[in-house]
Amino acid sequence: MESVEKIDIELNEQGLDGSPVCVKKMHLFEHIGPLAASAQSYGPKRTHSRVLMSIYIVIFKARINVLVPFGPLAVVLHYLTGKHGWVFFFSLVGIIPLAERLGYATEQLAYYTGPTIGGLLNATFGNATEMIISIYALKNGMIRVVQQSLLGSILSNMLLVLGCAFLSGGIVHSNKDQVFNKAAAVVNSGLLLMAVMGLMFPAVLHFTHSEVQYGKSEVALSRFSSCVMLVAYASYLFFQLKGRHNLYSPIDEEENQNDDVDSDEEDAPEITLWESIAWLAVLTAWVSILSGYLVDAIEGASEAMSMPVAFISVILLPIVGNAAEHASAIMFAMKDKLDITLGVAIGSSTQISMFLIPFCVVIGWIMGKEMDLNFQLFETASLFITVLVVAFMLQEGTANYFKGMMLILCYLIVAASFFEHIDPTVNDN
């Protein structure tokens, strides 16, 4: 047992990204319990016990997993009935607990990597559901579904997720304005405005009919702009990870230092490093399978439910994909940790706009699909106005329940607009 504790001390004195991890966490296996410590030995009985404990923690302990059976039911309905409306609904519900568990497994992995890489992992795997759905839709040639679902994820994160977090945190802490770091918010707002610029010029080029080669110039411009946006996002990651650690530290870090030490008992990981990696692989594979059935059923579900494809893509799909971010952002806001809330909501929007959208353009380029950044005028205007509204809300560095309510009401206006919106490409066909 002494060798186990020594290894654990070395791992927790320094994270994988070189950042220090709290000393209180060095007796890791005392927090997790005897089964976790016993997993370090290679006895088959102890390994079997640890596997059972991991399955219990990840699958049976979380109440949201009562929705997991909807996934297999969607697969069965797909082959037995062919009713796209029910297949879509069951797939949608079945993905919700998987998205939440993906976020949980990522948080557990973040304990072993240190806070900086952990935050990056949270943002990346938090968007894994959107990435998988987008790649499947792109493979099937459903470019508008890809564009609209990614746009919807940005709108959902910036208005609905952030609004609910501000509202919940403001109600719990109604006697004061919650404070967050303005510097990180300003940098993310700048990146979001750059993404809007990248989406706006192909749309303007298309609608002003000023292309050098009709139908080709906007695709060429989109591919070039996507490469530039990927370089900008890589520079942002380097800036965040290596350049300015102090810029992204919470402004009340010194005041909350004692509280953080006291809460280490609650923040101890529940599963081991390799268990976290294994669960990420399993959950990602299951999300991939369900996403295939979900994408195949979108058009049939649109006809069965009498809903525009745009509304399904922009509103319904992102709400499912953002389930993990939604829950964690509200939880951190209620704990008065708004810097983490902004990292989840705004950081996720930044990653989708500056990485995932350009990445899909490049992947489409490789697949031979003409995926571009022309999101059409209505969608581009919605994103531009949303970024402006959120930027104005964040400029003071404070949050309260009124700001949260304003963001939620703005999202309702956006949702109602897309419910009445018909994709112009449908009319053209």
Side-chain angles (χ1 to χ4, degrees):
M1 188 65 186
E2 293 178 0
S3 62
V4 173
E5 290 182 357
K6 289 179 181 177
I7 292 173
D8 192 44
I9 290 172
E10 291 176 2
L11 284 174
N12 283 279
E13 283 178 347
Q14 188 176 33
L16 295 182
D17 60 352
S19 55
V21 180
C22 208
V23 179
K24 190 94 173 181
K25 290 183 182 176
M26 53 185 181
H27 300 295
L28 178 63
F29 298 118
E30 294 178 8
H31 297 299
I32 301 176
L35 284 176
S38 64
Q40 299 298 315
S41 62
Y42 294 95
K45 291 184 178 179
R46 291 178 176 178
T47 303
H48 179 69
S49 299
R50 183 57 215 169
V51 169
L52 292 178
M53 175 60 73
S54 179
I55 292 174
Y56 167 75
I57 291 173
V58 177
I59 297 179
F60 295 103
K61 190 177 178 181
R63 295 179 180 178
I64 195 173
N65 283 344
V66 297
L67 301 177
V68 168
F70 282 90
L73 283 175
V75 178
V76 172
L77 285 174
H78 174 79
Y79 291 105
L80 293 183
T81 66
K83 293 183 178 180
H84 295 292
W86 286 107
V87 173
F88 176 81
F89 174 75
F90 277 41
S91 300
L92 204 66
V93 175
I95 286 179
I96 292 176
L98 300 179
E100 192 276 333
R101 291 288 88 185
L102 264 177
Y104 170 80
T106 307
E107 289 174 3
Q108 295 299 305
L109 182 60
Y111 285 113
Y112 302 96
T113 61
T116 307
I117 292 180
L120 181 60
L121 286 172
N122 273 314
T124 302
F125 280 97
N127 294 322
T129 307
E130 291 93 332
M131 181 181 292
I132 293 168
I133 293 175
S134 299
I135 291 175
Y136 267 97
L138 192 59
K139 185 179 178 181
N140 292 341
M142 303 171 70
I143 293 176
R144 289 296 292 157
V145 172
V146 176
Q147 293 176 331
Q148 290 172 340
S149 63
L150 293 178
L151 172 75
S153 295
I154 299 173
L155 299 178
S156 174
N157 275 311
M158 296 184 69
L159 295 177
L160 183 62
V161 174
L162 190 63
C164 289
F166 280 4
L167 178 63
S168 303
I171 292 174
V172 173
H173 304 279
S174 58
N175 58 336
K176 65 173 185 178
D177 275 354
Q178 293 180 289
V179 183
F180 55 84
N181 187 0
K182 288 193 294 185
V186 168
V187 171
N188 280 285
S189 298
L191 284 171
L192 288 168
L193 285 172
M194 180 180 178
V196 170
M197 185 176 70
L199 299 182
M200 183 174 291
F201 282 116
V204 172
L205 194 67
H206 174 79
F207 286 101
T208 56
H209 305 287
S210 56
E211 300 168 90
V212 175
Q213 291 181 313
Y214 183 78
K216 294 183 178 180
S217 294
E218 62 184 89
V219 176
L221 175 61
S222 298
R223 290 169 177 172
F224 175 79
S225 299
S226 296
C227 294
V228 172
M229 291 163 72
L230 289 174
V231 171
Y233 186 71
S235 303
Y236 163 70
L237 290 182
F238 180 81
F239 175 78
Q240 186 178 17
L241 295 176
K242 299 293 183 181
R244 300 283 186 88
H245 282 292
N246 293 332
L247 180 62
Y248 293 94
S249 61
I251 58 174
D252 55 348
E253 183 177 2
E254 295 180 359
E255 298 176 5
N256 292 338
Q257 188 173 5
N258 294 332
D259 295 338
D260 291 340
V261 172
D262 293 337
S263 64
D264 284 333
E265 297 281 341
E266 302 175 2
D267 293 340
E270 296 180 339
I271 57 178
T272 64
L273 172 65
W274 291 108
E275 289 170 359
S276 303
I277 296 173
W279 279 114
L280 280 176
V282 171
L283 292 167
T284 302
W286 184 227
V287 169
S288 301
I289 294 171
L290 275 187
S291 297
Y293 294 99
L294 182 69
V295 170
D296 290 339
I298 285 178
E299 292 182 353
S302 174
E303 296 177 1
M305 297 187 294
S306 300
M307 286 184 183
V309 175
F311 180 80
I312 293 176
S313 303
V314 177
I315 304 300
L316 296 185
L317 289 182
I319 288 178
V320 173
N322 294 332
E325 289 101 323
H326 207 147
S328 59
I330 292 175
M331 177 187 68
F332 286 123
M334 294 176 70
K335 292 181 179 179
D336 202 16
K337 297 180 179 180
L338 276 193
D339 292 290
I340 303 179
T341 295
L342 287 177
V344 170
I346 303 300
S348 179
S349 299
T350 302
Q351 187 176 59
I352 293 172
S353 60
M354 292 298 293
F355 171 74
L356 195 48
I357 291 177
F359 177 75
C360 285
V361 173
V362 174
I363 291 296
W365 190 1
I366 296 172
M367 290 181 177
K369 309 287 186 183
E370 291 193 348
M371 166 79 182
D372 57 25
L373 296 179
N374 178 15
F375 277 42
Q376 303 296 328
L377 192 60
F378 188 84
E379 287 84 350
T380 305
S382 301
L383 178 62
F384 179 56
I385 295 171
T386 296
V387 171
L388 286 182
V389 169
V390 174
F392 276 109
M393 291 286 186
L394 299 179
Q395 66 179 350
E396 294 180 350
T398 60
N400 50 57
Y401 66 88
F402 177 70
K403 287 185 177 180
M405 179 63 70
M406 292 292 292
L407 292 175
I408 294 173
L409 293 177
C410 288
Y411 186 75
L412 292 178
I413 293 175
V414 171
S417 301
F418 277 99
F419 189 79
E420 298 295 333
H421 173 65
I422 297 178
D423 196 338
T425 56
V426 176
N427 291 336
D428 293 342
N429 292 336

